[in-house]
Amino acid sequence: MDHRIILETGIGTDLYGQDYTKAAIRAVNDAIRHSSLTLFTELNLDHKQMTVKVTIGVQDPDALDTARVAAELPRGNAQVTAIKGGQNIPSADGTTASVIATAAIEAYYPIDQSAYKLSK
């Protein structure tokens, strides 16, 4: 059974290009730069068995290139889902908008709980 071992969040923006994918990639990078997965080397685990579920919130989910976002993840098998969220901030003259994307990254790993025991 896969167990969630990590939850990270991040925020990314594209201030001038209204590029949801650029903002999403920045959100993913914000999230993953806050963690180091030392458990793979410390416990001799294969990171290729890890599933990484990424949920990106943007105002126009259909405009997001989920494959490009998935390519940003350095480990595991990425599954990227785009949902309605984030924010668009219109420019003062209304001709463009800055876009904000949010990212939630969950890492799952098949853990055999019988291999571990809590000590008292």
Side-chain angles (χ1 to χ4, degrees):
M1 179 168 136
D2 285 358
H3 296 272
R4 185 169 73 180
I5 57 173
I6 295 170
L7 170 63
E8 289 287 348
T9 62
I11 298 172
T13 61
D14 182 32
L15 297 176
Y16 303 106
Q18 289 185 266
D19 186 331
Y20 292 104
T21 301
K22 183 187 283 187
I25 288 170
R26 289 176 175 169
V28 165
N29 284 319
D30 179 48
I32 65 175
R33 299 300 177 248
H34 295 172
S35 63
S36 177
L37 303 179
T38 61
L39 69 124
F40 290 98
T41 53
E42 296 294 326
L43 300 176
N44 196 30
L45 301 176
D46 181 5
H47 69 83
K48 293 175 184 162
Q49 293 184 43
M50 178 175 61
T51 300
V52 182
K53 294 181 181 179
V54 179
T55 304
I56 302 291
V58 291
Q59 285 293 295
D60 185 1
D62 293 335
L64 187 68
D65 183 342
T66 57
R68 277 186 50 211
V69 175
E72 289 297 308
L73 296 164
R75 294 179 175 227
N77 303 303
Q79 301 170 356
V80 178
T81 303
I83 63 168
K84 180 90 169 163
Q87 224 176 352
N88 285 359
I89 311 296
S91 62
D93 65 5
T95 61
T96 188
S98 296
V99 298
I100 301 171
T102 59
I105 301 175
E106 301 171 273
Y108 291 85
Y109 197 83
I111 296 174
D112 177 9
Q113 290 182 314
S114 67
Y116 300 94
K117 180 178 148 184
L118 289 176
S119 60
K120 294 184 180 189

